[in-house]
Amino acid sequence: MDRQALHDYTLTIIKEAGERIRKSFFETMYIETKSDANDLVTNIDKETEAFIVKKIHAYDESFRILGEEGMAEEEISSLEGVVWMVDPIDGTMNFVRQRRNFAISIAIYVDGVGQAGYIYDVVADELYFALKGQGAYMNGQRLSPLEALPLNEAIVGINAVWATPNPRVEHEGIIKLIHTLRGTRSLGSATLEIVAVATGRMDAYLSFRLSPWDIAAGIIIAQEVGAVSSTLDLNAVNLLNQDTFIVANPSIHKELVGDYITLK
């Protein structure tokens, strides 16, 4: 597999997909719910994923694809071989309500190892990417390695799900953490929150339930600047099923999980 040729091709795919989404702002949108009233999908999500799937298979029909909307119509039960992970619009609620703060996410894994990750903030026209061992970039400019900081100076991405009757996390530790931090943020798009950690705009992002396509590209990009990813019980990231997730500046990663976050 010619990694540079595939990289160039993927950049073309994601930019074309972004242009299609921008044009969709002037078209009729059809909105459906999935697991609950806050889990939305639009015709644009499906059309964008179908477009990306078609482009990937035009390059090599043997590539397997794990996409949020299932447009590849294949079952992925292992990460053997070349597996693409695609989220056509991460942050669909933002897409529907705000027309911003959403992104396209594409990742390429080979035998379970992340080789390339791409996140495109469509409205801001910011394209983040990383090739394994070659650094991370935003619009061609290399991102700097993360600098260490104490937890009380950190900004952490966390949404309001922690405050619900979540059977997996102890609330007291999260409350203590919030009082310790310099601040918290919630962007409504996991891919953009991971990018915020990779750029140093935030210092960690944690979630109690994410799917592989939410994180697959972001962890490759974040790793190239020194960030650490794991589940909230410090296991390896799960790229086949939903699981807890944290990506953080390495100077605060274990302190965050070990001292404040307790899973039941």
Side-chain angles (χ1 to χ4, degrees):
M1 183 174 64
D2 185 335
R3 192 161 76 157
Q4 185 60 49
L6 189 57
H7 168 64
D8 293 340
Y9 186 74
T10 308
L11 290 178
T12 300
I13 292 174
I14 202 166
K15 293 287 280 189
E16 287 183 6
E19 181 60 26
R20 291 167 64 95
I21 290 174
R22 281 190 291 269
K23 289 180 179 178
S24 78
F25 290 162
F26 305 100
E27 302 171 359
T28 301
M29 183 187 303
Y30 300 96
I31 304 169
E32 304 172 25
T33 60
K34 295 195 286 187
S35 62
D36 58 54
N38 295 321
D39 187 10
L40 304 182
V41 62
T42 72
N43 58 306
I44 310 303
D45 292 75
K46 295 177 180 179
E47 291 167 9
T48 301
E49 183 168 302
F51 168 79
I52 294 171
V53 167
K54 182 178 179 180
K55 289 289 187 177
I56 294 170
H57 281 158
Y59 190 92
D60 190 327
E61 289 187 357
S62 72
F63 289 158
R64 296 189 298 148
I65 305 169
L66 178 61
E68 179 174 14
E69 311 308 337
M71 303 308 291
E73 298 182 347
E74 56 187 308
E75 191 73 26
I76 302 294
S77 58
S78 79
L79 297 179
E80 294 177 1
V82 180
V83 178
W84 294 61
M85 300 194 188
V86 177
D87 193 338
I89 299 179
D90 179 57
T92 301
M93 181 74 76
N94 292 346
F95 171 66
V96 170
R97 293 292 304 273
Q98 301 174 353
R99 295 292 199 273
R100 65 190 66 226
N101 298 323
F102 65 89
I104 305 169
S105 177
I106 299 176
I108 305 172
Y109 281 71
V110 179
D111 294 328
V113 178
Q115 299 296 323
Y118 306 84
I119 293 174
Y120 186 30
D121 184 332
V122 173
V123 175
D125 193 24
E126 293 178 348
L127 177 54
Y128 301 84
F129 71 83
L131 301 179
K132 181 176 173 58
Q134 297 185 25
Y137 297 81
M138 190 278 283
N139 288 351
Q141 298 296 311
R142 187 161 184 159
L143 301 181
S144 300
L146 299 180
E147 297 182 1
L149 80 166
L151 190 61
N152 63 0
E153 295 181 8
I155 296 175
V156 173
I158 181 172
N159 64 34
V161 172
W162 72 269
T164 63
N166 190 321
R168 299 205 62 187
V169 64
E170 296 285 357
H171 288 174
E172 292 76 11
I174 298 293
I175 293 170
K176 180 182 175 184
L177 172 63
I178 290 171
H179 286 299
T180 302
L181 299 171
R182 177 159 285 177
T184 62
R185 298 292 184 271
S186 180
L187 304 181
S189 166
T191 56
L192 293 182
E193 306 222 37
I194 298 171
V195 158
V197 175
T199 58
R201 295 194 294 263
M202 295 196 315
D203 306 297
Y205 166 64
L206 62 93
S207 178
F208 304 112
R209 188 187 67 179
L210 287 177
S211 297
W213 47 78
D214 296 317
I215 60 177
I219 60 177
I220 299 171
I221 296 169
Q223 184 177 20
E224 288 295 317
V225 296
V228 179
S229 303
S230 72
T231 63
L232 291 177
D233 49 7
L234 293 177
N235 289 322
V237 172
N238 190 333
L239 288 174
L240 287 174
N241 298 291
Q242 286 188 340
D243 208 337
T244 61
F245 176 75
I246 181 170
V247 58
N249 186 303
S251 62
I252 62 172
H253 175 252
K254 287 188 177 178
E255 182 180 4
L256 268 169
V257 177
D259 295 348
Y260 296 92
I261 300 170
T262 302
L263 298 181
K264 297 179 182 178

